[in-house]
Amino acid sequence: MTRDAGWLKEHIRDIPDFPKPGVVFKDITPLLADVDAFRFTVDAIADHFAGQTIDKVLGIEARGFIAAAPVAYRFGAGFVPVRKAGKLPWEIERAEYELEYGSDLLEIHRDAVSPGERVLIVDDVLATGGTAAASGRLVEKLGAEVVGFGFLIELAFLGGRKQLDGRDVVSLVTYE
């Protein structure tokens, strides 16, 4: 069970109108700079999935990489980056997704996960759920199993959790 993480909000600042007017960006830079907050974040996500077999931890570009890599280390698992289109140099699979301010493409190397592997997907924010759902589709397209999703922040008012129905999802800080 995940410990109370409400205090992490003190380390998350709002940046209005970024990346476009009307969007309030949740800046986790202060959280990352605070050793206790960062350690808590990594440990709380890993602790939620403790006892499960995790072969790979997938981090979603870009801020998802920051939490996913140490979570992978905690599990003794490999780390897999999922990138925006055009940034991976080898054979890829791709999925289109919708986000709160547009649409985009995600890509993963075709050999990043193998059939039968168990994959935990980690990102900084669960907003509309499009990015996370697309990442899950990529993992499953490659024949691996999605164990669950871990997020630092959930913007519950955007309803993204609905796109992950039936999945084990942990979010440390929720904004209603």
Side-chain angles (χ1 to χ4, degrees):
M1 181 135 212
T2 303
R3 301 167 278 169
D4 179 35
W7 66 276
L8 293 176
K9 282 186 179 181
E10 299 168 19
H11 301 282
I12 300 167
R13 70 177 149 220
D14 288 348
I15 309 292
D17 299 320
F18 184 83
K20 69 179 222 171
V23 174
V24 178
F25 184 79
K26 298 297 185 188
D27 182 14
I28 63 170
T29 306
L31 182 146
L32 299 173
D34 183 283
V35 65
D36 294 324
F38 184 53
R39 181 180 292 133
F40 182 94
T41 297
V42 171
D43 289 344
I45 291 171
D47 289 351
H48 180 83
F49 295 97
Q52 297 191 54
T53 300
I54 307 290
D55 299 304
K56 301 278 175 64
V57 177
L58 184 147
I60 302 171
E61 186 171 332
R63 297 186 311 167
F65 296 172
I66 298 166
V71 168
Y73 177 81
R74 278 273 317 264
F75 279 105
F79 168 74
V80 175
V82 168
R83 308 278 326 253
K84 304 282 170 104
K87 295 187 178 183
L88 291 174
W90 197 68
E91 297 175 8
I92 53 107
E93 291 294 336
R94 69 171 30 159
E96 186 172 3
Y97 66 101
E98 298 296 320
L99 56 157
E100 64 273 24
Y101 48 84
S103 66
D104 214 336
L105 290 171
L106 288 178
E107 297 179 341
I108 188 172
H109 278 152
R110 285 190 179 146
D111 63 352
V113 298
S114 299
E117 285 188 317
R118 295 174 48 82
V119 178
L120 172 60
I121 298 173
V122 176
D123 202 1
D124 62 324
V125 176
L126 173 58
T128 64
T131 308
S135 297
R137 288 192 306 273
L138 285 170
V139 167
E140 291 169 344
K141 187 174 185 178
L142 295 172
E145 175 187 351
V146 176
V147 173
F149 294 85
F151 302 97
L152 170 55
I153 298 168
E154 180 173 353
L155 305 177
F157 57 91
L158 292 175
R161 192 175 280 257
K162 291 177 193 165
Q163 288 209 44
L164 306 177
D165 274 349
R167 306 285 193 161
D168 187 359
V169 178
V170 62
S171 299
L172 303 183
V173 175
T174 301
Y175 293 90
E176 297 296 336

